Amino acid sequence: MVVKKKSISSAASPWTEKGKYSKTNEIHYSFLKPQLRHALLLCFLLSVWFVILRCFLLSSSMSENNIEKLNVDEKAKTTSKSSAISKCEGGMSVYLYDMPAEFNKGLLKDCSHLNAYTDMCPHVANRGLGQPLSSMVESAVATTWYATHQFIAEMIFHARMENHPCRVLDPINAKLFYVPFYGGLDASSKFHDANLTARDELAIRLADYLRSKPWWERHHGKDHFLVLGRTAWDFLRRNNDFGNSLLNLPDVQNMSVLTVERNPWDLVHNQHGIPYPSYFHPYTSHQMMTWQNKMRQSSRPHLFSFIGGPRRGVEKAAVRDELIRQCSESGRCKLLKCGKGPSKCHDPIEVLKVMSQSQFCLQAPGDSFTRRSTFDSVLAGCIPVFFSPHTVYTQYEWFFPAGDAREYSVYIDENALKTGNGSERVVSIEEELFKIEREKVERMRSAVINLIPRLTYAHPNATDLGFQDAVDVALEALWAKRLKLNV
């Protein structure tokens, strides 16, 4: 059901004829006896009451029909593309390689050392979903909410594919081949290893393993794909830089690589951006629509918000500092500042609370172009505001609308926020957002909320979703790519 949201009070902007008595009837009644006149008057009043009641019931019925129609329309928007993917029509079928444990689940045995900065043991639990958010306020089903780590998509994708309707057990019948390699966890466990050979060791063994398989030789890997939970930069090491050389390997360059951030200047054209995982992992379309409707009805007293901290020693530091300054000085902005040590910005419930109460969410680049916060804001029905085209526009072509980006987002060039850029003054974010007409804001929010299903990773145990999730969207795009390559 589409429900118009109540706009914040400060955001106002350029946005039966009465019956007549019959003279003849009056004369006629004058000749009747009083008792008969009273009886006729009573009948008349009862008739009028019956007509009014009938009209009310008809109106109520029409309203219910309209509401039901709106519910059907919204469900149609959510599920319009789900049937083909759930039935795997068009011949699409995926074979899931049964890899030696050293390439995926075997890595989890040493989960406390999978990341130089974080103990990953709580995050790899529940097949990569992490710890349940049992305290999620007013959620339809608490077990659909988890404190999911931002760099864990490779595990969730694997778990989802194990139970996916398009999976086939015989490689002879497969058109696509999925290689479940936990490359992100391997890379992050060796970030500070001075031995570059050790960093590349598992990636090189993966290439050797694939070349030994008959299904690889059929098309030299062009019908194969792997999923990485970290950014492409972690696998494109040059000289003695950080990360490993997985994406530099010729065999891997034959494959399609799905990663949460691709290299926008990818010359091989084999990298494709997939969403960072957020906290919501539904089993059914009913759970999805319940959450979408909740976000449509959410009260949003803040014009905009920013969740993040400053950066040092990077080019993006100036933009971050300006966003924090403008937000902290505005009475229409909610700032959730991140820093070292405990912070509310690391609490999923606090993050979603701020975003679901905001009209717009500022999405400044972080250590790299993209950030998980973009997908958190969409989940919360908050319109994202971007400052670099590489935060979304050049990254996730499979997942965001290919048309006008202004339908679901706002773009402010980061140079407009820097001093000494040749302009008379730094652009005011508040002024730019405040002048967007209320009707347009409502349309943009509706577009954002309609994007939630395709940017969400469903629960791995889900069998009949009724909508396309992020995994389904990726498979459909990979299938289209394979058909185009004619392999």
Side-chain angles (χ1 to χ4, degrees):
M1 178 172 69
V2 178
V3 180
K4 288 280 184 179
K5 298 201 186 306
K6 184 177 180 180
S7 177
I8 58 175
S9 59
S10 59
S13 64
W15 6 327
T16 66
E17 186 181 13
K18 292 183 179 180
K20 298 179 180 179
Y21 291 105
S22 168
K23 193 76 170 176
T24 305
N25 286 342
E26 289 179 354
I27 296 172
H28 177 71
Y29 284 143
S30 65
F31 291 98
L32 296 177
K33 294 182 178 180
Q35 296 87 347
L36 184 57
R37 289 206 308 271
H38 292 160
L40 289 173
L41 180 60
L42 180 61
C43 290
F44 174 75
L45 292 175
L46 288 173
S47 299
V48 171
W49 178 85
F50 176 76
V51 170
I52 293 174
L53 180 62
R54 186 173 184 276
C55 290
F56 173 79
L57 292 175
L58 181 61
S59 174
S60 175
S61 175
M62 290 176 65
S63 297
E64 290 177 0
N65 289 336
N66 288 337
I67 292 173
E68 180 65 25
K69 183 178 185 301
L70 289 173
N71 277 327
V72 170
D73 288 344
E74 286 301 321
K75 185 174 182 179
K77 288 179 182 178
T78 301
T79 64
S80 59
K81 294 185 179 180
S82 66
S83 58
I85 193 75
S86 62
K87 296 178 181 177
C88 305
E89 294 177 353
M92 186 183 71
S93 53
V94 185
Y95 177 71
L96 175 60
Y97 268 95
D98 185 13
M99 307 281 290
E102 65 171 333
F103 293 115
N104 44 54
K105 295 180 181 179
L107 293 169
L108 308 181
K109 294 179 180 179
D110 193 19
C111 57
S112 61
H113 296 98
L114 287 176
N115 190 299
Y117 309 101
T118 305
D119 178 4
M120 291 297 291
C121 293
H123 302 295
V124 300
N126 295 306
R127 305 169 81 185
L129 299 182
Q131 301 303 309
L133 289 174
S134 57
S135 58
M136 183 64 188
V137 179
E138 298 181 9
S139 62
V141 179
T143 53
T144 63
W145 293 91
Y146 295 81
T148 306
H149 194 274
Q150 62 175 331
F151 293 133
I152 207 71
E154 57 202 29
M155 273 195 72
I156 299 175
F157 201 107
H158 185 195
R160 178 97 165 85
M161 281 304 307
E162 287 181 324
N163 199 32
H164 199 278
C166 295
R167 180 187 178 185
V168 294
L169 301 179
D170 190 341
I172 294 178
N173 300 323
K175 302 298 182 182
L176 293 171
F177 292 80
Y178 169 41
V179 181
F181 174 47
Y182 295 173
L185 294 177
D186 172 57
S188 63
S189 68
K190 302 172 183 176
F191 270 151
H192 298 299
D193 197 326
N195 187 337
L196 301 185
T197 300
R199 290 197 213 173
D200 293 338
E201 182 181 7
L202 195 59
I204 292 174
R205 285 212 301 271
L206 173 72
D208 292 340
Y209 169 83
L210 291 173
R211 281 197 306 271
S212 70
K213 299 300 176 183
W215 316 113
W216 176 271
E217 290 299 324
R218 188 167 59 177
H219 298 295
H220 302 288
K222 291 183 179 180
D223 52 0
H224 285 52
F225 71 94
L226 58 83
V227 179
L228 300 173
R230 298 191 68 91
T231 70
W233 315 109
D234 294 331
F235 311 98
L236 289 167
R237 191 185 70 239
R238 298 287 190 267
N239 301 320
N240 296 328
D241 204 356
F242 67 92
N244 63 37
S245 299
L246 174 66
L247 297 185
N248 294 328
L249 301 177
D251 294 307
V252 175
Q253 290 182 349
N254 279 346
M255 305 169 65
S256 293
V257 178
L258 313 187
T259 174
V260 293
E261 178 175 333
R262 62 184 292 271
N263 172 9
W265 305 281
D266 168 32
L267 299 180
V268 183
H269 304 296
N270 72 322
Q271 298 173 23
H272 305 281
I274 58 172
Y276 284 84
S278 191
Y279 311 112
F280 184 43
H281 306 282
Y283 290 84
T284 66
S285 59
H286 174 73
Q287 292 170 345
M288 173 58 71
M289 286 189 292
T290 298
W291 177 255
Q292 286 177 291
N293 286 335
K294 179 180 175 67
M295 291 303 96
R296 289 188 182 99
Q297 299 169 26
S298 180
S299 174
R300 299 179 185 270
H302 310 303
L303 177 61
F304 63 114
S305 63
F306 180 61
I307 301 176
R311 289 290 186 271
R312 292 181 180 180
V314 294
E315 188 176 323
K316 306 171 188 69
V319 175
R320 283 284 185 117
D321 290 344
E322 182 61 22
L323 296 189
I324 293 173
R325 183 191 69 80
Q326 289 201 29
C327 186
S328 61
E329 294 177 359
S330 171
R332 295 189 175 96
C333 185
K334 175 66 174 179
L335 176 64
L336 199 58
K337 193 173 180 179
C338 307
K340 293 182 179 180
S343 171
K344 287 186 177 181
C345 73
H346 300 302
D347 183 339
I349 295 176
E350 288 294 331
V351 168
L352 291 179
K353 179 181 178 181
V354 170
M355 290 182 166
S356 64
Q357 294 176 352
S358 304
Q359 303 269 7
F360 299 91
C361 290
L362 308 185
Q363 300 300 334
D367 295 323
S368 61
F369 293 117
T370 63
R371 64 193 310 239
R372 200 264 284 278
S373 179
T374 295
F375 301 94
D376 294 340
S377 71
V378 171
L379 177 62
C382 186
I383 302 165
V385 181
F386 301 121
F387 304 89
S388 168
H390 302 312
T391 302
V392 160
Y393 304 144
T394 64
Q395 293 288 339
Y396 309 104
E397 59 180 349
W398 294 349
F399 296 90
F400 285 86
D404 190 349
R406 291 173 295 184
E407 294 178 0
Y408 64 87
S409 66
V410 174
Y411 180 72
I412 300 175
D413 194 304
E414 61 183 354
N415 291 318
L417 300 176
K418 298 176 182 177
T419 57
N421 60 5
S423 62
E424 295 182 0
R425 66 183 183 92
V426 172
V427 167
S428 167
I429 298 172
E430 179 179 326
E431 290 179 6
E432 291 297 309
L433 299 179
F434 189 67
K435 67 185 181 184
I436 300 176
E437 293 184 353
R438 178 172 152 186
E439 290 76 12
K440 183 177 180 181
V441 172
E442 295 294 336
R443 291 196 302 270
M444 294 171 73
R445 182 177 303 112
S446 178
V448 167
I449 292 174
N450 287 334
L451 284 173
I452 295 176
R454 62 190 293 109
L455 301 182
T456 296
Y457 291 90
H459 196 285
N461 293 339
T463 55
D464 188 14
L465 278 176
F467 66 89
Q468 275 191 315
D469 78 333
V471 173
D472 293 330
V473 173
L475 291 179
E476 186 178 66
L478 286 166
W479 176 236
K481 180 182 178 180
R482 185 193 184 283
L483 293 176
K484 187 176 180 180
L485 292 175
N486 195 27
V487 295

